[in-house]
Amino acid sequence: MAAASKPTDKAAALAGCMVFEALSAETREELATHAYPKSFSAGDLIFAAGDPGQTMMAVVKGSVRVGIVTSTAREVVLKDCHQGEVFGEVALFDNGPRSADARALTNVELLMLERRDVLAVLSRHPEGALRLLELLCGRLRRSDERMQELAFLDISTRLARALLRILEGPEAATKRPVRLSLSQTELGNMIGSARENVNRCLKGWQRQEIVDLKEGWLIVLDEKSLRLMADLD
């Protein structure tokens, strides 16, 4: 992670994170002096639910999946974090244990910020604290929306919304049609459903030429129909 090892480089990396972009360059430089890089390989556990939460992480490169494992051993995906996003901030601010697991989806480069350093800098720069509050409120709103989806929407609508979130995310490809390498088990984890239900839904969409399933790829052919099924317009 040599690309983000110098203070100015680390400040530039923090500037790429939405939670830090509103801070002044001076404040980011101050935070950058405390940040340190850490790398993880694809599949590595970054932290587990119940671990002490003394750090927050900014994704410099790669993708991280945040999720929980239910009492029935089913994984539920809460969020995929990509370059320019921050995770781990909840436990950092309330000084409690981690509420979820975080695992590297790809090879990942992170900038780590310790609780004591973040709080010290924010005490001198309250505009940063307000920006982080906005981030936390945004996360809470999205969590509420996900809970409402799980409680009230059928699997077709939930799956359509999950695919649209991926297509509209920061890591989405611009080339169309989009080819996704997500497994049906992963999609089921994202929407709180069994793989068999996801397979049944995708097979129906394949017959309608909304998607295609080919050689392990999920190919999105008709985004307009997905949006109609997602009931977002």
Side-chain angles (χ1 to χ4, degrees):
M1 192 164 167
S5 59
K6 297 178 182 179
T8 51
D9 293 335
K10 290 187 290 185
L14 292 180
C17 297
M18 65 176 182
V19 69
F20 298 120
E21 65 184 3
L23 303 181
S24 67
E26 179 185 3
T27 305
R28 284 197 299 269
E29 287 284 355
E30 188 174 350
L31 273 174
T33 62
H34 300 290
Y36 59 93
K38 196 166 185 179
S39 299
F40 294 88
S41 298
D44 283 355
L45 184 68
I46 298 171
F47 59 71
D51 286 351
Q54 295 297 314
T55 54
M56 65 186 295
M57 298 91 170
V59 182
V60 176
K61 184 178 180 181
S63 299
V64 173
R65 174 160 293 171
V66 180
I68 58 174
V69 178
T70 68
S71 58
T72 58
R74 172 177 288 177
E75 181 187 11
V76 177
V77 176
L78 300 178
K79 180 176 175 61
D80 286 346
C81 299
H82 307 288
Q83 180 177 340
E85 296 187 276
V86 171
F87 65 101
E89 74 285 349
V90 173
L92 179 139
F93 282 107
D94 70 8
N95 202 27
R98 299 292 187 191
S99 57
D101 301 336
R103 190 177 295 276
L105 276 179
T106 64
N107 292 340
V108 172
E109 298 175 358
L110 305 176
L111 279 180
M112 318 289 285
L113 286 161
E114 298 289 342
R115 181 176 193 270
R116 62 179 182 274
D117 299 321
V118 173
L119 296 185
V121 172
L122 293 180
S123 68
R124 295 189 292 273
H125 303 278
E127 77 281 2
L130 291 174
R131 187 69 183 92
L132 283 168
L133 281 175
E134 291 176 5
L135 172 73
L136 291 173
C137 289
R139 294 269 176 93
L140 286 173
R141 286 182 183 275
R142 288 191 291 274
S143 294
D144 287 346
E145 290 170 0
R146 291 288 301 278
M147 292 300 293
Q148 290 174 17
E149 288 180 6
L150 292 174
F152 300 115
L153 300 181
D154 60 32
I155 181 174
S156 179
T157 306
R158 300 202 312 268
L159 184 56
R161 289 190 178 192
L163 289 176
L164 286 172
R165 279 193 288 263
I166 295 169
L167 295 180
E168 295 166 358
E171 295 292 297
T174 56
K175 185 178 179 181
R176 294 297 190 267
V178 177
R179 297 162 61 92
L180 303 175
S181 61
L182 287 167
S183 71
Q184 294 179 14
T185 298
E186 287 179 294
L187 287 170
N189 292 340
M190 289 179 181
I191 65 171
S193 187
R195 184 198 66 80
E196 294 78 10
N197 295 332
V198 172
N199 178 264
R200 193 177 301 114
C201 187
L202 290 176
K203 289 290 187 182
W205 289 356
Q206 186 177 33
R207 288 191 293 271
Q208 299 172 59
E209 298 185 345
I210 297 170
V211 303
D212 194 13
L213 306 172
K214 190 174 182 180
E215 299 177 350
W217 293 95
L218 168 57
I219 305 169
V220 179
L221 303 174
D222 188 349
E223 292 180 43
K224 184 178 180 180
S225 291
L226 275 184
R227 185 164 290 278
L228 288 172
M229 288 186 292
D231 195 24
L232 293 173
D233 292 329

